[in-house]
Amino acid sequence: VLTRGRHSYTFDILFSDIVEPVAVVYGTTFPLFVYSALHYLVIKPYLNKKRAEDTAAKAEELSAWLETQREEARGAITLMKESYHKIVNIEQGKGGLIVMQAWYGVFGSANKLID
């Protein structure tokens, strides 16, 4: 039934005067079987392969990005080393305080208060 405005259209489709079991099987079960077979034998493996390729490409891209970030960090460290040694020598000459290691955050169990 198709309704548009105040008009209504009815399309009666009659395939046969009698219901034949063979026709029902060919009309319902067979297409369902073909669809299931195509889905599990063709479509699903293709989508899984595509997903694996996309994941591998993203992993490669992330690996390359991470390597560039590491190289930039190494470059920054080498640039800061000279300045660091200069500051340490100045502080040692004055007998000043040099912080060798600093830890931040809460240490211990979550239920225990730390002063």
Side-chain angles (χ1 to χ4, degrees):
V1 174
L2 175 66
T3 304
R4 302 198 77 175
R6 289 185 282 166
H7 299 282
S8 143
Y9 303 97
T10 304
F11 300 101
D12 292 328
I13 299 173
L14 184 63
F15 291 114
S16 175
D17 291 334
I18 57 172
V19 177
E20 293 183 26
V22 174
V24 172
V25 169
Y26 286 141
T28 58
T29 308
F30 184 70
L32 184 63
F33 175 74
V34 169
Y35 171 77
S36 297
L38 280 175
H39 181 74
Y40 286 109
L41 297 175
V42 176
I43 297 170
K44 233 178 174 180
Y46 172 76
L47 292 177
N48 288 341
K49 180 181 173 188
K50 189 74 168 163
R51 187 178 304 122
E53 288 173 356
D54 291 345
T55 303
K58 284 182 181 180
E60 184 66 33
E61 182 181 323
L62 181 61
S63 176
W65 177 81
L66 190 59
E67 190 58 38
T68 59
Q69 293 294 328
R70 284 183 180 148
E71 288 300 319
E72 288 178 11
R74 286 184 190 117
I77 288 172
T78 56
L79 288 175
M80 288 188 282
K81 276 187 181 179
E82 183 180 331
S83 175
Y84 164 75
H85 289 301
K86 179 180 162 185
I87 292 170
V88 166
N89 289 335
I90 290 171
E91 287 298 322
Q92 282 177 344
K94 293 190 307 184
L97 176 66
I98 300 173
V99 178
M100 299 302 286
Q101 188 175 29
W103 292 50
Y104 300 97
V106 177
F107 303 103
S109 66
N111 298 334
K112 186 177 174 183
L113 293 176
I114 299 174
D115 292 326

